[in-house]
Amino acid sequence: MHPFRKAVEHRDEAAIEALLAENVVFTSPVAFKPYRGRAITAAILRAVMRVFEDFTYVREIANPDGRDHALVFTATVDGRQIQGCDFLHFDEEGKIDDFTVMVRPLSAAKALAEAMGAQFDRIAAEAAEAAEATEAEAAEAGA
């Protein structure tokens, strides 16, 4: 079992965030533009864990070099069954640098968009707080 899958299945937010590259690009199934950076991606993934019910990975597919993984999942959002796939690419250090999610059917994708929209103020606040903490750590290390 891949470490990311294990972290998600154990709902280990710290382990999930530790697997994200600082410059990760997250492409959402319900947003037009990708999100860039560990802070916002980690905040989005925490919100997804709050929104999804009965989340289960049902299949794991990897290429031979281990740099690309597809994790097929099922879940429920606002009473709608959703099926999706997390497409992960890993950099040379084994960190996720590209994370794309696709979901179906459309009715469930719409329910996901609404549920995540309701979370967005919290997502933005968590991401800003994490970014400030990272900047403070960097300034302290440089001092």
Side-chain angles (χ1 to χ4, degrees), residues 22-47:
E22 188 63 43
N23 64 341
V24 63
V25 176
F26 178 82
T27 305
S28 163
V30 296
F32 180 71
K33 288 177 37 178
Y35 296 93
R36 299 182 182 281
R38 180 187 298 150
I40 189 70
T41 300
I44 290 168
L45 295 176
R46 286 190 297 273

Side-chain angles (χ1 to χ4, degrees), residues 53-54 74-77 79-83 104-105 107-108:
E53 300 169 28
D54 306 319
T74 61
T76 304
V77 178
R80 289 187 166 63
Q81 287 293 115
I82 193 165
Q83 183 181 43
R104 63 162 304 279
S107 61

Side-chain angles (χ1 to χ4, degrees), residues 1-13 15-16 49 55-60 71-74:
M1 176 184 304
H2 191 275
F4 180 80
R5 177 179 179 174
K6 183 177 180 182
V8 170
E9 289 181 347
H10 287 98
R11 302 180 66 80
D12 186 341
E13 295 174 1
I16 292 168
M49 288 196 294
F55 181 90
T56 306
Y57 280 121
V58 295
R59 183 179 307 152
E60 184 175 333
L71 300 170
V72 181
F73 64 85
T74 61

Side-chain angles (χ1 to χ4, degrees), residues 67-69 87-92 95-99:
R67 302 267 312 264
D68 290 286
H69 282 262
F87 295 97
L88 310 175
H89 181 268
F90 295 85
D91 65 16
E92 299 80 24
K95 304 279 186 179
I96 300 167
D97 62 0
D98 189 65
F99 191 136

